[in-house]
Amino acid sequence: EVHLVESGGGLVQPGGSLRLSCAASGFTFSGNDMTWVRQAPGKGLELVSGINSGGGSTYYADSVKGRFTISRDNAKNTLYLQMNSLQTEDTAVYYCATGVSNGGIWYASSNRGQGTQVTVSS
């Protein structure tokens, strides 16, 4: 059973930084592409970033490109999202999820954790 636990969210001022972590268990983490998705209040899910199983290929939504960095440590079964230059528009619940890349198009599965709240406000 896929088990994903996100952490690292919180309240931060605009321009600040946060690092999210996602601890994975119950499946072969190193064999799976992974994604970060977010859901802002009153909005649908947005796929923010993806990384392939080996960590050598990444994807970023235009809204976060140049500000967020996805990474993974397969030895620790952990996915990360470094978020810099945070903006109020980044306020959302952030989830990690298994995913897949097909022809350069990234998809997030429904296997998500409980999420971690990120609030960007002055």
Side-chain angles (χ1 to χ4, degrees):
E1 179 184 355
V2 173
H3 190 53
L4 300 164
V5 179
E6 301 92 342
S7 61
L11 173 64
V12 63
Q13 293 186 339
S17 297
L18 283 174
R19 189 194 196 202
L20 306 184
S21 298
C22 171
S25 61
F27 66 107
T28 306
F29 178 76
S30 60
N32 278 264
D33 297 345
M34 295 295 297
T35 65
W36 285 98
V37 298
R38 68 184 180 185
Q39 187 163 27
K43 297 188 177 181
L45 285 170
E46 177 189 14
L47 198 158
V48 171
S49 186
I51 188 167
N52 72 340
S53 58
S57 179
T58 57
Y59 161 82
Y60 298 96
D62 287 343
S63 57
V64 306
K65 198 172 294 183
R67 301 187 297 120
F68 290 11
T69 303
I70 190 171
S71 62
R72 64 191 297 160
D73 186 337
N74 285 344
K76 295 182 178 180
N77 287 352
T78 303
L79 179 71
Y80 303 100
L81 187 67
Q82 177 67 43
M83 305 187 296
N84 299 329
S85 303
L86 282 161
Q87 305 167 356
T88 55
E89 307 87 83
D90 297 316
T91 295
V93 178
Y94 285 72
Y95 304 89
C96 63
T98 57
V100 65
S101 173
N102 188 353
I105 308 283
W106 280 81
Y107 303 89
S109 79
S110 58
N111 292 321
R112 297 192 296 269
Q114 84 291 344
T116 186
Q117 176 71 49
V118 171
T119 302
V120 185
S121 175
S122 56

